[in-house]
Amino acid sequence: MTNNAIFRTCPDTGLRFHGPAETLIKLNAVAAVVFLLVGGIMGIGVGLTRWPEVHLLGPQDFYTTLTSHGINVLIFWIIFFEIAALYFVSSVVLGCRLATPKLGYLAFLLMVIGALVNNYAVWSLSSAVMMTSYAPMPAHWAFYLGLILFAVGALIGCFIFLGTLVIAKKEKTYEGSIPLVTFGGLTACIIAIFTIASGAIILVPTLLWQLGYVSNIDAGVYRLIWWAFGHSSQQINVATHVTVWYMVGALVFGAKPLSEKVSRFAFVLYIAVLQIASAHHLLVDPGVGTEWKIFNTSYAMYLAVMASMVHGLTVPGSMEAAQRARGYTNGLFEWLRKAPWGNPVFSSTMISIVGFGFLGGISGVMMGAEQLNLIVHNTLYVPGHFHATVVLGTTLAFMGITYWLVPVLFRRELILTSWCKWQPYIFGLGMTGVSVFMMGAGTLGLPRRHWDAAFTSSSFPYEFPSSAMALMSLNGLSVVLAAIGGGMFCLIIVGTLLFGKKVGQEEKFPRVMVATPPTEAQYVTLHRSGNAISGTLLLAGVFLIAFVVYYFINWKYLAETWGMS
Amino acid sequence: MTSLSPPDQKVWWKKPIDRAELIWIFIVVIWGIILTLMMPLWHIFGEQNLSTETYRTTPQRYMEKTQAFVDQYTVRTEGDRQFPVVAPPAGEDIYMVARLWDWWPILELKQGQSYRLHLNSIDWNHGFSLQPANLNIQVLPGYEHVLTITPNATGEYSVICNEYCGINHHNMVGKIYVVE
Ligand SMILES: [Cu+2]
């Protein structure tokens, strides 16, 4: 039953918005930003405590704040945003009504209640057990219940997305195959369903254990299944932020995929390799065999790595092709120099691509090698790595697209436009520092999730090299910079929602919101030149060299430590 | 047509792939194979490979074994809590307990000799992090992990805990001496 009255056509983008879909996208996106703000503030507390000269919080507050930081940003901010993104790439991109909006509101409500219950447990029911809540360390049952409610809500959101695809197909709102960004959303959705199922398999028994119905949770089995959940949830992030990259390419440059086949196949690889990719979290665990570890890290991880390396070429490559087709053909990099670096939608995306690839990708592969994991497991290297993937990669990509979404959805002009210009760079630079300095300190052995690396109250204190402590001071400074960038973002977005200049439903923004794609003839000329993505290829080559060099340097480090067999 | 619209060709999967893309995919696949091969190769030629020898155990059973080991080889005690310093002969099975919030006992090993180190937690997850050698191993309750270690330099090493284990996690530090 289609009702045209609840559709509006956006004058800037030509997209058709289904009323309830639009409301749900707004609700989920705003909730996301609220949890980003909360989790971000917690992050400042963590960073300032790890700064040796500041050492802000006491141990109890530190561990509680760290738990809260992880859950609020890694789970709540990101998944609220992903649900908004799923609704967008289905309902809006396909111009189709959203399936069962009422269930959408229920899903949203469950997610909000779950997030609140979990936060309450962390803060008031002494459940500072970190995001991973490794049993048999117990949390209050409300901790697990909150996560389960949140997950059920997210699961409903996934099925609404799938339902919307079915409706769009049946009502023929598009022709041929679904667009690439919708396809990316579909992979994220499938991964999310697998993720939530794994989460249920481990969190439900853990909840029952805390309620007294299950006598014992095995520590090894908990880690195995928890990581099937924890790892795949990161795979949702990757699938979604790569989708956002392609979307930004289309919005800013009118770019199209270099090859539909290659890009879609690379998305499919993310799903294909999911099963036990959690293996690389268990590389130094007892109870799992060598062959199992090698098999599951190689096939399950490297195929995903290959997929990301392919996207890493095709996303900037498609931007380059569009720019060159439009006439920016001089040298290797005119297309890049003439890119809109002052537009936060683009600059955020570019920093996201580079940060995710160079810092997050390379470090992830390094520590995912069975033996190399010995020199970094549970050190600060690990949070250093995932601040590059999840913050530089995912969060910055989501921030970038928010700069586009907010005006389009709320019909308000962004406030503080000069801040908008600088924000991605400030946040990106701060977070690059956070990643790099934590990875550096981790290489020197500093532990993660640790209140006092100076060991002032320990019976047998250990003194880390002063260089490690200096890195933590630099990390503290970077946290401040990132916090300024994050604060600017929240202020711009919330300020725009409240005070942004209103733009009428029929009125247009005074700037181009969706670039006109190059013509087919322009692409044909470009391809005849045989030079469509030469700049991107050179950058890819630089990336590969950095990757190879860094990877083998770490084998050399490993060779220098104690022998073990 | 862009990434936001359906592919312009209905049978997009038949469109040939660009050469540049094909070259990159080829390089990426080769690199993936090298990454995969490095792990088995290090098992053959490398010196640092984590043993997977693991036994089911209980806190009582593991404490008994460790206590017997401590009783047999203790050479002195250290610190206000009288931590035993245990100096076992080379090649021996040696035991370390992870518990809230100690690594117990202190070990004294000989450089260049190999020992079969048993690791187990009697309560929650802990992280065996040997500094400054920077070897890091997850320690779980219920799983007795046996690995052969060969210290390659003399000195005073610390074992810090790098898996969060509650409010005194940051005080959980043990010691291993390596002597000539
Ligand atoms: Cu511990």
Coordinates of all heavy atoms in Angstrom, one line a residue, chain A residues 514-553:
Chain A
V514 N 24.4 17.2 -4.7 CA 24.7 15.9 -5.4 C 25.4 16.3 -6.7 O 24.7 17.0 -7.6 CB 23.5 15.0 -5.7 CG1 23.9 13.8 -6.4 CG2 22.8 14.7 -4.4
A515 N 26.6 15.9 -6.9 CA 27.3 16.3 -8.2 C 26.7 15.6 -9.4 O 26.2 14.5 -9.3 CB 28.8 15.9 -8.0
T516 N 26.7 16.4 -10.5 CA 26.3 15.7 -11.7 C 27.3 14.8 -12.2 O 28.5 15.1 -12.3 CB 26.0 16.8 -12.8 OG1 25.5 18.0 -12.2 CG2 25.1 16.3 -13.9
P517 N 27.0 13.5 -12.5 CA 28.0 12.6 -13.0 C 28.5 13.0 -14.3 O 27.8 13.6 -15.1 CB 27.2 11.3 -13.0 CG 25.8 11.5 -12.8 CD 25.6 12.9 -12.3
P518 N 29.8 12.6 -14.6 CA 30.3 12.8 -15.9 C 29.5 12.1 -16.9 O 28.8 11.1 -16.6 CB 31.7 12.2 -15.9 CG 32.0 12.1 -14.4 CD 30.8 11.9 -13.7
T519 N 29.5 12.5 -18.2 CA 28.7 11.8 -19.2 C 29.4 10.5 -19.6 O 30.6 10.4 -19.4 CB 28.5 12.7 -20.4 OG1 29.8 13.0 -21.0 CG2 27.8 14.0 -20.1
E520 N 28.7 9.7 -20.3 CA 29.2 8.4 -20.8 C 30.3 8.7 -21.8 O 31.4 8.1 -21.8 CB 28.1 7.6 -21.4 CG 28.2 6.1 -21.4 CD 28.8 5.6 -20.0 OE1 28.3 6.0 -18.9 OE2 29.8 4.9 -20.1
A521 N 30.1 9.8 -22.6 CA 31.1 10.1 -23.6 C 32.4 10.5 -23.0 O 33.5 10.2 -23.5 CB 30.5 11.3 -24.5
Q522 N 32.3 11.3 -21.9 CA 33.5 11.7 -21.2 C 34.3 10.5 -20.7 O 35.5 10.4 -20.7 CB 33.2 12.6 -20.0 CG 32.8 14.0 -20.5 CD 32.3 14.9 -19.3 OE1 31.5 14.4 -18.5 NE2 32.8 16.1 -19.3
Y523 N 33.5 9.5 -20.1 CA 34.2 8.3 -19.7 C 34.9 7.5 -20.8 O 36.0 7.0 -20.7 CB 33.2 7.3 -18.9 CG 33.0 7.6 -17.5 CD1 31.8 8.0 -17.0 CD2 34.1 7.5 -16.6 CE1 31.6 8.2 -15.6 CE2 34.0 7.8 -15.2 CZ 32.7 8.1 -14.7 OH 32.6 8.4 -13.4
V524 N 34.2 7.5 -21.9 CA 34.8 6.8 -23.1 C 36.1 7.4 -23.5 O 37.1 6.7 -23.7 CB 33.7 6.8 -24.3 CG1 34.4 6.2 -25.6 CG2 32.5 5.9 -23.9
T525 N 36.1 8.7 -23.6 CA 37.4 9.4 -23.9 C 38.5 9.1 -22.9 O 39.6 8.8 -23.3 CB 37.2 11.0 -23.9 OG1 35.9 11.2 -24.4 CG2 38.2 11.7 -24.7
L526 N 38.1 9.1 -21.6 CA 39.0 8.8 -20.6 C 39.6 7.4 -20.8 O 40.8 7.2 -20.7 CB 38.3 8.9 -19.2 CG 39.1 8.5 -18.0 CD1 40.3 9.4 -17.8 CD2 38.3 8.4 -16.8
H527 N 38.8 6.5 -21.0 CA 39.3 5.1 -21.0 C 40.2 4.9 -22.3 O 41.1 4.0 -22.2 CB 38.1 4.1 -21.0 CG 37.6 3.9 -19.6 ND1 38.3 3.4 -18.6 CD2 36.5 4.4 -19.0 CE1 37.7 3.4 -17.4 NE2 36.5 4.0 -17.7
R528 N 39.9 5.7 -23.3 CA 40.7 5.6 -24.5 C 42.2 6.0 -24.2 O 43.1 5.5 -24.7 CB 40.1 6.4 -25.7 CG 40.2 5.6 -27.0 CD 39.4 6.3 -28.1 NE 38.0 5.9 -28.1 CZ 37.0 6.7 -28.4 NH1 37.3 8.0 -28.6 NH2 35.8 6.3 -28.5
S529 N 42.3 7.0 -23.2 CA 43.6 7.5 -22.8 C 44.4 6.4 -22.1 O 45.6 6.6 -21.9 CB 43.4 8.8 -22.0 OG 43.1 8.4 -20.7
G530 N 43.7 5.4 -21.6 CA 44.4 4.3 -20.8 C 45.0 4.8 -19.5 O 45.9 4.2 -19.0
N531 N 44.5 5.8 -18.9 CA 45.2 6.5 -17.8 C 44.2 6.8 -16.7 O 44.3 7.8 -16.1 CB 45.8 7.8 -18.4 CG 46.9 8.3 -17.5 OD1 47.4 7.6 -16.7 ND2 47.1 9.6 -17.6
A532 N 43.1 6.0 -16.6 CA 42.0 6.4 -15.8 C 42.3 6.5 -14.3 O 41.8 7.4 -13.6 CB 40.8 5.4 -16.0
I533 N 43.2 5.7 -13.8 CA 43.4 5.7 -12.3 C 44.9 5.7 -12.0 O 45.3 5.1 -11.0 CB 42.7 4.6 -11.6 CG1 43.1 3.2 -12.1 CG2 41.2 4.8 -11.7 CD1 42.6 2.1 -11.2
S534 N 45.8 6.3 -12.8 CA 47.2 6.2 -12.6 C 47.6 6.7 -11.2 O 48.5 6.2 -10.6 CB 48.0 6.8 -13.7 OG 47.4 8.1 -14.0
G535 N 47.0 7.9 -10.8 CA 47.4 8.4 -9.5 C 47.1 7.5 -8.4 O 47.9 7.2 -7.5
T536 N 45.9 6.9 -8.4 CA 45.5 5.9 -7.4 C 46.4 4.7 -7.3 O 46.8 4.2 -6.3 CB 44.0 5.5 -7.6 OG1 43.2 6.7 -7.7 CG2 43.5 4.6 -6.5
L537 N 46.8 4.3 -8.5 CA 47.7 3.1 -8.6 C 49.0 3.4 -7.9 O 49.6 2.6 -7.2 CB 47.9 2.7 -10.0 CG 47.0 1.7 -10.7 CD1 47.3 1.5 -12.1 CD2 46.9 0.4 -9.9
L538 N 49.5 4.6 -8.1 CA 50.8 5.0 -7.5 C 50.6 5.0 -6.0 O 51.5 4.5 -5.2 CB 51.3 6.4 -8.0 CG 52.6 6.8 -7.4 CD1 53.7 6.0 -7.9 CD2 52.8 8.3 -7.6
L539 N 49.5 5.6 -5.5 CA 49.3 5.6 -4.0 C 49.2 4.2 -3.5 O 49.7 3.9 -2.4 CB 48.0 6.4 -3.7 CG 48.1 7.9 -4.0 CD1 46.8 8.6 -3.8 CD2 49.2 8.6 -3.2
A540 N 48.5 3.3 -4.3 CA 48.4 1.9 -3.8 C 49.7 1.3 -3.7 O 50.0 0.5 -2.8 CB 47.5 1.2 -4.8
G541 N 50.6 1.6 -4.6 CA 52.0 1.1 -4.6 C 52.7 1.5 -3.4 O 53.4 0.7 -2.7
V542 N 52.6 2.8 -3.0 CA 53.2 3.3 -1.8 C 52.7 2.5 -0.6 O 53.4 2.1 0.3 CB 52.9 4.8 -1.6 CG1 53.4 5.3 -0.3 CG2 53.6 5.6 -2.7
F543 N 51.4 2.3 -0.6 CA 50.7 1.6 0.5 C 51.3 0.2 0.6 O 51.7 -0.3 1.7 CB 49.2 1.5 0.3 CG 48.5 0.6 1.2 CD1 48.2 1.0 2.5 CD2 48.1 -0.7 0.8 CE1 47.5 0.1 3.4 CE2 47.5 -1.5 1.7 CZ 47.2 -1.1 2.9
L544 N 51.4 -0.5 -0.5 CA 51.9 -1.9 -0.5 C 53.4 -1.9 0.1 O 53.7 -2.8 0.9 CB 51.9 -2.5 -1.9 CG 52.2 -3.9 -2.0 CD1 51.0 -4.7 -1.4 CD2 52.5 -4.4 -3.4
I545 N 54.2 -1.0 -0.3 CA 55.6 -1.0 0.1 C 55.6 -0.8 1.7 O 56.3 -1.5 2.4 CB 56.4 0.1 -0.6 CG1 56.6 -0.3 -2.1 CG2 57.8 0.3 0.1 CD1 57.1 0.8 -3.0
A546 N 54.8 0.2 2.1 CA 54.8 0.4 3.6 C 54.3 -0.9 4.3 O 54.9 -1.2 5.4 CB 53.8 1.6 3.9
F547 N 53.4 -1.5 3.8 CA 52.8 -2.7 4.3 C 53.9 -3.8 4.5 O 54.1 -4.4 5.5 CB 51.6 -3.2 3.4 CG 50.7 -4.1 4.0 CD1 49.4 -4.4 3.4 CD2 50.9 -4.8 5.2 CE1 48.5 -5.2 3.9 CE2 50.0 -5.7 5.7 CZ 48.8 -5.9 5.0
V548 N 54.5 -4.1 3.4 CA 55.5 -5.2 3.3 C 56.7 -4.9 4.3 O 57.1 -5.7 5.1 CB 56.1 -5.3 1.9 CG1 57.2 -6.3 1.8 CG2 55.0 -5.8 0.9
V549 N 57.2 -3.6 4.3 CA 58.3 -3.3 5.1 C 57.9 -3.4 6.6 O 58.6 -4.1 7.4 CB 58.8 -1.8 4.8 CG1 59.8 -1.4 5.9 CG2 59.4 -1.8 3.4
Y550 N 56.8 -2.9 7.0 CA 56.4 -2.9 8.4 C 56.2 -4.3 8.8 O 56.5 -4.7 10.0 CB 55.1 -2.0 8.5 CG 54.7 -2.0 10.0 CD1 55.4 -1.1 10.9 CD2 53.6 -2.7 10.5 CE1 55.0 -1.1 12.2 CE2 53.2 -2.7 11.8 CZ 53.9 -1.8 12.6 OH 53.5 -1.8 14.0
Y551 N 55.6 -5.1 8.0 CA 55.2 -6.5 8.3 C 56.5 -7.3 8.7 O 56.6 -7.9 9.7 CB 54.5 -7.1 7.2 CG 54.1 -8.6 7.4 CD1 53.0 -8.9 8.2 CD2 54.7 -9.6 6.7 CE1 52.6 -10.2 8.4 CE2 54.3 -10.9 6.8 CZ 53.3 -11.2 7.7 OH 52.9 -12.5 7.9
F552 N 57.5 -7.1 7.8 CA 58.7 -7.9 8.1 C 59.6 -7.4 9.2 O 60.3 -8.1 9.9 CB 59.5 -8.1 6.8 CG 58.9 -9.1 5.9 CD1 58.2 -8.7 4.7 CD2 58.9 -10.4 6.2 CE1 57.6 -9.6 3.9 CE2 58.2 -11.4 5.4 CZ 57.6 -11.0 4.2
I553 N 59.5 -6.1 9.4 CA 60.2 -5.5 10.6 C 59.8 -6.2 11.9 O 60.5 -6.5 12.8 CB 60.0 -4.0 10.7 CG1 60.8 -3.2 9.6 CG2 60.3 -3.4 12.1 CD1 60.6 -1.7 9.6

